[in-house]
Amino acid sequence: MQQTSSKMISTIANIDHIKQVNCATIYKVIEQHAPISRVKIAKVSQLAPASVTKITRHLIEKGIITETERQPSTGGRCAISLAPNSQKIYVIAAKIGRKFLSISHYNLAGKKSIDKRFNIEDKKGESLISLLRREIKSLIDDELQQGNSISAISITLSGLINPQQGKIIYTELNGLNNFPLVQVIEQAFNIPTFIGNHTRALALAEHYFGATQQSQDSIVISIHHGVGSGIIMQGKALLGVNCNIGEIGHIQVNPTGKQCHCGNFGCLETEVSDTVIVEKVQIAIENGEVAPFNNKTLNIEDIYLAAASGDPLCEKIVSEAASYLGKTIAILVNILNPEKIVISGKITTAKNTLFSAIQQCIVHQSLPDFHKKVIIQATELQPNSTIASFALIKKAIYEGDLLQKINIKN
Ligand SMILES: [Zn+2]
């Protein structure tokens, strides 16, 4: 008896899962091909016309898609087309950075209408979460005043995150270790909330909106204060059972290098990051080397620009860093054989120095068959702190159950 009921529960769960997947597939087809008729949706999605009719009716009732103008069909008859109702579905995407909290308001088509930024250098733990809660509430209230609601919230940050448990495991910043962020935000607002590591989410953003849209296997490497990567394999973000894959910043590239915050020595992150490159230029100047900065406070933008215009000192330091990065990229090429590797960060300003050093490494340190095919390029996303966070919401729509949870008024 017990066996029968557990079998029934698992069958129901499977049916629910299939419904969820079919619903997401149809929504994605509508989003990518709108305006599109039901007949064409069935063709593109390879689902039965009856399922398409049922699911699209459900999505119309929920206000997620809408019927649009009639399109003349080849047979002379007119078919009603469908399109996302994305102008009516609003979400909040936030990023907790090292110095700033960025918080934006998007519609589901990805149009950002509000973008706020707060300095959080003096905030830790509860005071940071209070600021986050207050600003989310203010955006929700603004939306309510206009008769709209917020359908989802997402937050990215650096460190080890468990998106399934909605928990920050470890972050170097802000005193939020082992913090159940999703639970705290969902309890406050009763809105589906998602969190993720910022670089892993950036790889998704590049896959949905940027340079890797046409690639199934890709890697995004982000170089800022630290170095991290996000890996997409067969169109899906690679997270593993422990939810964290891609911490390339802690691959040892220089055994005689300095100690990293992880405790080991000569990690990639201690040889390549905006902070390290500023330090290296500073030390070289103190040792009497010539740099084109005339006693100005050093900043990373000037260093990368100087490297790009051929200043020997800056070029040498960026090239050395790029070689360490290239060594790591060659390892990634050997292990993962990706179609594309995208570099994100200000270092791409010095693109000639950067990409030629990387290319040299992968040619000599990875399998010819692999490196001949891989494309290495700079990001195609416009500077936007919260686009990675917004990508987590897209993922919840395409791969998760967010569509089932959205219910908007027409
Ligand atoms: Zn380390």
Side-chain angles (χ1 to χ4, degrees), residues 72-370:
S73 72
T74 45
R77 283 182 56 207
C78 289
I80 297 168
S81 288
L82 299 169
N85 206 358
S86 36
Q87 302 301 325
K88 284 200 155 194
I89 300 176
Y90 301 101
V91 301
I92 293 172
K95 178 194 175 189
I96 304 173
R98 201 164 61 93
K99 292 183 178 169
F100 297 98
L101 165 68
S102 306
I103 181 160
S104 313
H105 171 274
Y106 287 88
N107 69 20
L108 213 50
K111 188 165 179 279
K112 189 160 69 168
S113 50
I114 299 168
D115 209 11
K116 295 180 174 180
R117 201 164 125 105
F118 305 90
N119 190 305
I120 53 168
E121 281 174 285
D122 61 343
K123 298 209 181 314
K124 277 194 166 196
E126 191 44 47
S127 71
L128 173 64
I129 296 303
S130 297
L131 172 69
L132 178 67
R133 263 198 305 245
R134 193 174 68 227
E135 290 310 319
I136 290 175
K137 184 170 186 316
S138 142
L139 288 180
I140 293 172
D141 290 347
D142 289 351
E143 224 33 68
L144 279 174
Q145 276 186 355
Q146 295 172 49
N148 299 323
S149 60
I150 295 292
S151 298
I153 298 167
S154 69
I155 302 150
T156 58
L157 66 161
S158 65
L160 303 180
I161 314 294
N162 186 325
Q164 280 152 14
Q165 293 175 357
K167 220 170 158 186
I168 302 168
I169 308 293
Y170 164 80
T171 176
E172 202 196 345
L173 325 162
N174 311 317
L176 287 171
N177 293 340
N178 292 314
F179 188 80
L181 184 58
V182 165
Q183 193 191 336
V184 167
I185 300 296
E186 286 189 343
Q187 268 174 3
F189 303 112
N190 196 24
I191 294 172
T193 300
F194 306 90
I195 59 167
N197 168 283
H198 187 73
T199 310
R200 271 29 124 214
L202 191 64
L204 272 176
E206 206 70 63
H207 187 56
Y208 293 146
F209 324 113
T212 63
Q213 286 181 70
Q214 308 305 323
S215 312
Q216 286 300 298
D217 300 338
S218 61
I219 303 171
V220 167
I221 296 176
S222 160
I223 299 158
H224 296 280
H225 173 64
V227 182
S229 77
I231 301 166
I232 306 279
M233 284 283 130
Q234 297 182 304
K236 298 250 161 95
L238 201 64
L239 287 181
V241 283
N242 292 319
C243 298
N244 282 289
I245 287 180
E247 286 295 330
I248 60 165
H250 302 284
I251 291 177
Q252 190 188 56
V253 291
N254 178 7
T256 58
K258 47 178 208 176
Q259 191 167 25
C260 175
H261 65 88
C262 74
N264 296 328
F265 288 84
C267 291
L268 179 64
E269 201 162 286
T270 64
E271 297 291 345
V272 185
S273 78
D274 291 348
T275 321
V276 168
I277 286 173
V278 171
E279 270 170 28
K280 286 188 176 180
V281 174
Q282 182 76 53
I283 291 167
I285 293 171
E286 281 164 15
N287 289 340
E289 294 202 46
V290 182
F293 302 123
N294 302 329
N295 302 326
K296 247 173 64 175
T297 313
L298 280 180
N299 74 58
I300 194 67
E301 287 88 353
D302 289 344
I303 293 171
Y304 290 143
L305 276 173
S309 57
D311 171 69
L313 174 66
C314 295
E315 216 179 7
K316 184 181 86 184
I317 288 172
V318 172
S319 173
E320 187 186 83
S323 295
Y324 285 124
L325 186 62
K327 201 177 158 107
T328 310
I329 291 177
I331 295 171
L332 291 173
V333 169
N334 282 325
I335 297 176
L336 296 166
N337 191 10
E339 296 166 87
K340 213 176 234 191
I341 295 179
V342 175
I343 315 267
S344 167
K346 290 174 184 154
I347 197 167
T348 56
T349 310
K351 60 174 188 283
N352 290 344
T353 312
L354 175 72
F355 291 112
S356 69
I358 292 173
Q359 206 61 43
Q360 266 199 357
C361 287
I362 67 159
V363 165
H364 296 293
Q365 296 165 27
S366 67
L367 270 180
D369 189 53
F370 290 6

Side-chain angles (χ1 to χ4, degrees), residues 20 24 152-154 192-194 204 208 390-404 406:
Q20 183 186 309
I153 298 167
S154 69
T193 300
F194 306 90
L204 272 176
Y208 293 146
F390 178 69
L392 290 183
I393 293 176
K394 279 277 170 186
K395 178 176 186 277
I397 286 176
Y398 294 157
E399 297 175 19
D401 62 351
L402 183 56
L403 276 180
Q404 321 296 323
I406 294 176

